[in-house]
């Protein structure tokens, strides 16, 4: 009993088509499973709590925040002839025992009273 080549070719093509269809179905199933897993993981993840943080500097009945000191340093630098658009770096140093705030903006130093 000899199997004809034509019959073998047809069976091979059918098997290849079936295999390709099965692979596509498996890929679709895996993709769906991954999406569901990601959705579940995202749903379980608790929302990050936003913590309000503030820093106040108090000395000798005076009070300031770091942001206020930086803003005042910029204003003092601009009043001394600098341009706001030229500011690239700002460093502020508070010396409460002297009642002074020292700053360095773009390698240029200055000071003002606390």
């Amino acid at each position: 009993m000899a199997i004809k080549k034509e019959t073998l070719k047809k069976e091979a093509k059918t098997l290849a088509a079936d295999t390709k269809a099965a692979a596509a179905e498996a890929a679709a199933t895996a993709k769906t499973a991954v999406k569901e897993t990601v959705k579940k993981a995202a749903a379980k993840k608790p929302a990050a709590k936003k913590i309000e943080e503030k820093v106040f500097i108090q000395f000798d009945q005076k009070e300031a925040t770091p942001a206020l000191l930086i803003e005042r340093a910029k204003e003092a630098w601009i009043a001394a002839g600098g341009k706001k658009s030229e500011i690239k770096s700002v460093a502020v140093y508070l010396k409460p025992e002297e009642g002074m705030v020292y700053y360095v903006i773009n390698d240029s130093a200055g000071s003002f009273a606390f």
Side-chain angles (χ1 to χ4, degrees):
M1 210 186 222
I3 301 176
K4 293 184 178 182
K5 284 184 181 181
E6 294 296 321
T7 305
L8 287 176
K9 284 183 181 179
K10 284 182 184 178
E11 287 180 12
K13 284 183 181 179
T14 303
L15 183 59
D18 289 346
T19 303
K20 190 174 183 180
E25 186 178 332
T29 302
K31 187 176 181 180
T32 302
V34 168
K35 283 183 180 179
E36 289 176 12
T37 303
V38 169
K39 283 182 184 178
K40 286 179 184 177
K44 288 181 181 179
K45 190 175 185 180
K49 293 181 182 179
K50 185 173 181 176
I51 299 171
E52 185 176 338
E53 298 174 335
K54 292 183 179 183
V55 176
F56 294 94
I57 301 163
Q58 296 179 332
F59 182 77
D60 197 29
Q61 299 179 358
K62 296 177 186 174
E63 180 176 285
T65 63
L68 177 66
L69 295 177
I70 291 170
E71 189 58 37
R72 287 187 60 202
K74 289 178 183 178
E75 289 170 0
W77 188 74
I78 291 168
K83 293 184 180 177
K84 188 175 184 177
S85 61
E86 295 175 348
I87 296 175
K88 294 185 174 125
S89 65
V90 179
V92 176
Y93 304 88
L94 172 63
K95 297 210 58 183
E97 66 276 7
E98 296 176 8
M100 293 297 291
V101 177
Y102 298 94
Y103 64 87
V104 179
I105 297 180
N106 298 348
D107 298 325
S108 177
S111 64
F112 58 91
F114 176 53

